[in-house]
Amino acid sequence: MNIKEKFGFKVKELREQKGYSIEYLANISNVDRNYISDIEKGQRNVSIEIIEKIITALDTDFGAFFNDKNFKK
């Protein structure tokens, strides 16, 4: 799994844990829903600004988000 896929997997996992639809996450993060869908599929190279918007909308922070076994080798 590459880094884009790992990031997308984690976004989807947190979104589903919170019961958010892609549409709802798009609305609260101010990121296009198609873009979020592509992120979750590992098809987007995401900027740090978009990462911040999504992480904030998921009510977490960088440390908590990236402190996941999937991001460690």
Side-chain angles (χ1 to χ4, degrees):
M1 191 180 301
N2 67 40
I3 191 66
K4 292 186 294 186
E5 292 168 331
K6 290 176 185 179
F7 181 78
F9 178 83
K10 185 66 178 182
V11 168
K12 184 175 183 178
E13 178 181 58
L14 288 176
R15 178 181 62 76
E16 289 178 344
Q17 283 176 3
K18 294 194 172 288
Y20 295 172
S21 66
I22 290 176
E23 185 74 33
Y24 182 73
L25 180 57
N27 287 335
I28 64 172
S29 66
N30 200 29
V31 176
D32 184 83
R33 65 182 173 82
N34 292 321
Y35 197 89
I36 291 175
S37 178
D38 288 347
I39 289 170
E40 289 186 356
K41 295 175 192 171
Q43 298 175 341
R44 288 287 185 156
N45 198 10
V46 187
S47 73
I48 195 72
E49 289 92 359
I50 298 295
I51 292 171
E52 181 181 34
K53 286 180 177 186
I54 291 171
I55 287 175
T56 300
L58 290 169
D59 195 30
T60 191
D61 59 45
F62 281 87
F65 185 92
F66 289 106
N67 189 21
D68 184 287
K69 67 181 185 297
N70 290 324
F71 291 109
K72 298 177 181 175
K73 291 189 174 193

